Amino acid sequence: MREMSTSSNLGFPKAQETTLVHHLLIRPSFPGEMRLSIRLAYLFLYNLLQFCGHTWIFANMTARFLTFGGDALADTFYAVGVVMSLCQLLSVLELFHIADGIEKARLLPRFVQVMTRNFLLFMVIVSQEEMQSKPVVCAQFYLWNILDLLRYPHVLLCLMGTDSFGMLWARYTLSIPIYIVSVITEGITIHQSLPYFESLGTYSFQLSLPVSAGIYFPILLKAYLPLLAVGACVTVWHSLRARELRLEKWNKKIKRK
């Protein structure tokens, strides 16, 4: 530890100074370094918590499907719905991470992903008990978990400075087609929920002031579908751009070695 502290005073390469292991093992000498160390530790704990939550959901759903077969599809939401809701609510913090600068990522695609997920989960699935037993909900949860299990381990490895090409490729290549299928499944979920909103009148109400007007939620859902497609196109475009930049950066890193 003395040797490491001495080396830290002499100065480490910038790439090493941004790793979590370095900031946790070496006591910061300046307030700015202390703040950076706390931020990295917070990001590590947040991503670890999300990774553990989604791993539990994926393992639970897989074990139930292997044990009960197709009968497990109807009980998916009742088995993992609470944990899934907590994970999606916590994902809102990622928007503040990017806005505050402690996480380097583009705000728009992350905003689209977080808001569409929370809208679908809480406004459509949670509010309609009949939808919770649909097989499409199980498929949706699976796709969300696969995407997050590709992203959070990669972030954890990057924070520890031990990122690998396999995780990098899976994060920025394999996740793109899975995300497209996930958006299609979200559209199917909304389409299947329309009859329930029309019959029960959930979120539909009449305004009397200042003018008499009615808010019919099924129409809003139908109008939301094109917006979902546009948001997905924007996210895919940003993902392709991020993939190109990340792979190019990795190739330059390999060439320098």
Side-chain angles (χ1 to χ4, degrees):
M1 290 299 293
R2 291 194 188 97
E3 293 177 356
M4 295 178 67
S5 298
T6 304
S7 300
S8 66
N9 293 331
L10 295 176
F12 270 75
K14 187 176 181 179
Q16 294 182 4
E17 290 180 354
T18 57
T19 61
L20 176 69
V21 176
H22 176 79
H23 283 284
L24 291 182
L25 291 180
I26 302 176
R27 185 175 63 185
S29 303
F30 303 99
E33 294 182 6
M34 175 65 75
R35 289 194 297 269
L36 182 59
S37 177
I38 294 175
R39 287 185 174 187
L40 288 174
Y42 163 74
L43 280 180
F44 182 84
L45 292 176
Y46 168 80
N47 286 278
L48 180 62
L49 178 62
Q50 286 280 23
F51 172 69
C52 292
H54 286 287
T55 301
W56 182 87
I57 294 172
F58 187 85
N60 190 303
M61 293 173 60
T62 303
R64 288 175 56 82
F65 181 76
L66 295 177
T67 303
F68 303 107
D71 295 336
L73 299 179
D75 297 332
T76 296
F77 182 84
Y78 302 102
V80 301
V82 174
V83 180
M84 175 62 78
S85 300
L86 290 176
C87 289
Q88 296 307 319
L89 282 176
L90 283 176
S91 66
V92 178
L93 292 175
E94 298 175 14
L95 304 179
F96 295 96
H97 297 168
I98 299 174
D100 190 51
I102 63 176
E103 180 181 354
K104 293 183 179 180
R106 293 189 176 274
L107 182 60
L108 180 58
R110 189 69 60 83
F111 177 82
V112 171
Q113 178 181 339
V114 170
M115 291 297 102
T116 53
R117 285 190 183 187
N118 280 276
F119 176 82
L120 182 67
L121 179 61
F122 294 103
M123 298 294 291
V124 177
I125 298 176
V126 173
S127 65
Q128 298 298 323
E129 188 174 355
E130 294 81 1
M131 284 296 302
Q132 297 170 7
S133 59
K134 295 286 186 180
V136 69
V137 174
C138 180
Q140 188 68 75
F141 282 7
Y142 256 120
L143 292 170
W144 284 351
N145 273 275
I146 292 174
L147 288 172
D148 290 327
L149 290 177
L150 290 175
R151 180 161 65 94
Y152 289 117
H154 172 70
V155 175
L156 289 171
L157 291 177
C158 290
L159 289 172
M160 294 186 295
T162 57
D163 53 324
S164 64
F165 178 77
M167 288 301 303
L168 178 70
W169 183 88
R171 166 70 179 90
Y172 290 99
T173 302
L174 187 60
S175 62
I176 294 177
I178 297 176
Y179 173 75
I180 295 174
V181 177
S182 173
V183 172
I184 296 174
T185 308
E186 291 177 10
I188 295 174
T189 303
I190 293 176
H191 177 74
Q192 292 186 1
S193 69
L194 289 176
Y196 302 108
F197 283 105
E198 291 173 352
S199 60
L200 299 176
T202 308
Y203 302 133
S204 297
F205 52 90
Q206 189 74 24
L207 293 176
S208 56
L209 294 175
V211 294
S212 179
I215 304 298
Y216 193 53
F217 193 68
I219 294 180
L220 297 180
L221 285 179
K222 293 177 182 179
Y224 171 75
L225 290 175
L227 297 178
L228 178 64
V230 172
C233 292
V234 173
T235 302
V236 170
W237 184 84
H238 281 286
S239 299
L240 291 173
R241 179 60 178 166
R243 176 184 180 275
E244 179 182 355
L245 294 176
R246 293 288 183 174
L247 292 180
E248 181 181 354
K249 183 178 179 180
W250 180 270
N251 292 331
K252 291 181 179 179
K253 178 181 177 182
I254 297 300
K255 290 180 180 179
R256 285 197 300 266
K257 291 183 179 180

